[in-house]
Amino acid sequence: MKESPRFLKLVMLAMMVAIGVVISPILRIEGMCPMAHLINIVCAVFLGPGYAFACAFTIGILRMTLMGIPPLALTGAIFGAALSGILYRLSGGKLIFAVIGEIIGTGIIGALVSYPVMTLLVGKQGIGWAFYIPLFLGGTLIGGSIAFLFLSALAKTGMLTSIQKQLGAKVYDKSHKSNIRNV
């Protein structure tokens, strides 16, 4: 029995969620969760923007309910995950654009959205509208760098293309050459 690409995508999504929840405490301080950004970018490249958004959303909800993480778990992930996948696709599969999407989506958009969420909904006082930008940018730069190195290594060996094909995802590296050259 051959698995359908949709089934494999759902299995990969579930695995990414599980890995994301387990590794999220690594290097984590409030407002900075580099491993979440690693997962967002990898999921965006493997599965696309919709799945990356769903992954980030699910991880955020699980982290909030199981670990007591504030709503930053959502605001600091969903925008970057979606934008990572969108820019990866718009660039024709250039890995650096997946990282840039995460940096802009989380480091700037997510950080700005976090201010009203934390002040109005959570009641956190004494912070400015740009309070989370340095923390979110720092986290995305660390996680994005790790993701870029990991995905570049997969691309160089042809494994990235193989994974994308098996998942039925959009494949950009038709020649099986490295995506690093496309940066």
Side-chain angles (χ1 to χ4, degrees), residues 15-92:
M15 288 177 16
M16 297 296 286
V17 168
I19 292 168
V21 171
V22 170
I23 69 169
S24 67
I26 298 173
L27 301 176
R28 186 200 171 278
I29 59 172
E30 185 172 340
M32 187 175 181
C33 187
M35 297 300 109
H37 310 300
L38 163 68
I39 293 295
N40 288 351
I41 295 166
V42 170
C43 192
V45 170
F46 281 2
L47 299 170
Y51 282 94
F53 178 88
C55 184
F57 182 82
T58 306
I59 290 170
I61 295 295
L62 288 171
R63 290 178 64 220
M64 288 168 52
T65 57
L66 300 175
M67 299 175 183
I69 306 295
L72 297 175
L74 283 178
T75 59
I78 58 174
F79 302 103
L83 194 56
S84 177
I86 291 167
L87 290 186
Y88 178 72
R89 284 193 173 171
L90 289 176
S91 72

Side-chain angles (χ1 to χ4, degrees), residues 38 41-42 45-46 88 93-99 144-161 164 173 176-183:
L38 163 68
I41 295 166
V42 170
V45 170
F46 281 2
Y88 178 72
K94 293 185 173 99
L95 295 175
I96 193 67
F97 283 95
V99 175
S145 297
I146 296 168
F148 183 79
L149 293 172
F150 172 67
L151 292 168
S152 294
L154 289 179
K156 189 172 187 174
T157 63
M159 285 301 299
L160 179 58
T161 300
Q164 290 171 327
D173 185 16
H176 300 287
K177 291 183 182 172
S178 172
N179 273 344
I180 298 171
R181 294 185 193 131
N182 295 334
V183 176

